[in-house]
Amino acid sequence: MSKFQSEVEAIDALCLSYKEITKEISKVIVGQDDVVKAVLIAVFSNGHCLLVGVPGLAKTLLVQTVSRVLDLSFNRIQFTPDLMPSDIIGSEILGEERVFKFIKGPVFANIILADEINRTPPKTQAALLEAMQEKAVTAAGVTHALPKPFFVLATQNPIEQEGTYPLPEAQLDRFMFNVSLDYPSFEDEIAIVKNTTGTKVQDLKKIINAEQISYFQQLVRNIPVTDHVVEYAVAMVAKTRPQGAMATDTVKKYITWGAGPRASQFLVVGAKCHAAIHGKYSPDMEDVQAVAIAILRHRMVRNYKAEAEGISIEDIIRGLF
């Protein structure tokens, strides 16, 4: 992937690829433009994504469609209370030659859909989160690298919380984005019903492949960013900490716990990618704001006062801009 003469050409190519990818995905996914953008930014930023939404909002279809358009391997893991870590990462079995061999689990794919991750016990959640962090799994003392690129899109159902195991804040922090899915508009739902109740199957083109994605991930990291944009991102995160000197009055009143340094890192990388897919060669403060809500939403803990007064976490984050 060294065909580009300069980073400017490479960013132009990423911007063009992004437009082609979203155009192709829109053939199948209707009315979820912001969600598609967040997923693609996470992919090109080498991060992971948590999708929160009620059943039936095409979360699985979205991930399958993205994997087809990006020409990546895809596995879906349905998380249940009896799922074991070995059901995800794989296990050692005794072969015919009386030698143990490792049988790879479903985590060995480019894109993993961890469906209803809060339905499985912490031990199994931890096995997936370790793979997300290390990009490798260890079995019987042997480390097995996961394919590149590796991207986890986990889903959580915000209703029916009985019998679930919510992810602790430290584990939520592993996800770059927390993306909230809402019901489609009336017009979009009409289009969805028309598209999905017939026999026509959309033929999707493969726009880019794994090698190109890995190149673009490195490109995003190399995009220059000015000191004042970095300082703006770090200051925004510092304002979320109610015990900190930079905390706003609203944060002190309504927030129990704020975001850590990983949020600052993701804000800068996310802003770089957001700028690149829109044809800009360096991010500005608007790019930081564009990714801030999805990055900070799951890293801030509201107190009871905020819940009682109906103050949403999104309102508090917008107040930091």
Side-chain angles (χ1 to χ4, degrees):
M1 285 295 297
S2 58
K3 62 183 179 180
F4 301 114
Q5 299 297 317
S6 66
E7 283 195 356
V8 168
E9 279 188 24
I11 291 171
D12 289 341
L14 172 55
C15 178
L16 182 62
S17 295
Y18 171 77
K19 288 177 181 175
E20 291 177 354
I21 291 165
T22 51
K23 183 180 177 183
E24 207 63 23
I25 290 173
S26 67
K27 292 179 181 178
V28 176
I29 304 298
V30 177
Q32 298 284 12
D33 296 348
D34 290 341
V35 178
V36 171
K37 181 196 282 188
V39 169
L40 292 175
I41 289 176
V43 169
F44 289 126
S45 300
N46 202 12
H48 305 287
C49 213
L50 181 67
L51 282 185
V52 180
V54 296
L57 295 182
K59 295 187 286 286
T60 305
L61 181 61
L62 168 64
V63 188
Q64 287 176 331
T65 305
V66 168
S67 66
R68 285 170 63 190
V69 174
L70 300 184
D71 195 17
L72 298 174
S73 58
F74 163 76
N75 276 334
R76 178 178 184 266
I77 306 172
Q78 182 64 52
F79 280 72
T80 56
D82 59 349
L83 197 72
M84 300 292 289
S86 58
D87 296 328
I88 296 173
I89 65 174
S91 57
E92 294 263 314
I93 66 164
L94 190 62
E96 294 176 0
E97 303 83 12
R98 297 290 177 186
V99 176
F100 280 99
K101 62 178 181 179
F102 180 67
I103 302 299
K104 292 179 177 179
V107 77
F108 284 86
N110 296 121
I111 295 184
I112 304 297
L113 173 62
D115 213 1
E116 294 193 286
I117 192 172
N118 56 334
R119 293 244 171 249
T120 205
K123 188 176 181 180
T124 307
Q125 291 175 353
L128 176 69
L129 292 160
E130 183 184 356
M132 288 165 53
Q133 187 72 12
E134 308 299 332
K135 305 290 173 78
V137 299
T138 303
V142 179
T143 301
H144 305 269
L146 294 168
K148 292 181 181 180
F150 179 70
F151 172 65
V152 172
L153 200 150
T155 69
Q156 278 193 175
N157 186 343
I159 56 176
E160 297 175 23
Q161 291 298 341
E162 190 176 339
T164 62
Y165 307 83
L167 288 171
E169 278 69 29
Q171 295 185 349
L172 281 172
D173 198 43
R174 306 280 178 89
F175 290 95
M176 179 177 185
F177 284 150
N178 177 328
V179 182
S180 181
L181 278 84
D182 206 352
Y183 292 108
S185 67
F186 184 74
E187 292 76 15
D188 287 339
E189 194 161 348
I190 288 174
I192 290 166
V193 172
K194 285 181 177 178
N195 289 349
T196 56
T197 53
T199 55
K200 185 180 178 183
V201 178
Q202 286 290 351
D203 186 29
L204 296 175
K205 289 190 297 183
K206 293 176 172 60
I207 305 299
I208 57 176
N209 57 32
E211 183 192 357
Q212 291 168 305
I213 292 168
S214 295
Y215 175 84
F216 285 140
Q217 286 176 340
Q218 192 61 46
L219 172 71
V220 166
R221 294 274 168 173
N222 289 337
I223 290 174
V225 56
T226 59
D227 286 347
H228 83 276
V229 172
V230 174
E231 288 165 9
Y232 178 73
V234 174
M236 185 182 290
V237 173
K239 289 176 187 175
T240 69
R241 302 165 188 160
Q243 302 83 4
M246 297 179 70
T248 64
D249 291 339
T250 305
V251 166
K252 289 176 182 176
K253 185 177 180 182
Y254 294 121
I255 296 296
T256 304
W257 200 254
R262 192 179 273 151
S264 301
Q265 295 169 332
F266 280 143
L267 275 178
V268 173
V269 174
K272 286 182 178 185
C273 189
H274 188 271
I277 63 174
H278 290 91
K280 297 194 296 190
Y281 306 121
S282 181
D284 53 29
M285 290 187 286
E286 284 73 21
D287 295 303
V288 175
Q289 293 173 5
V291 296
I293 290 178
I295 287 173
L296 296 175
R297 179 187 277 136
H298 55 302
R299 294 181 164 88
M300 298 167 65
V301 181
R302 288 186 303 163
N303 58 25
Y304 291 113
K305 193 168 189 177
E307 293 181 22
E309 295 183 20
I311 306 296
S312 73
I313 203 78
E314 290 82 6
D315 290 336
I316 295 171
I317 295 169
R318 287 189 191 97
L320 304 175
F321 292 174

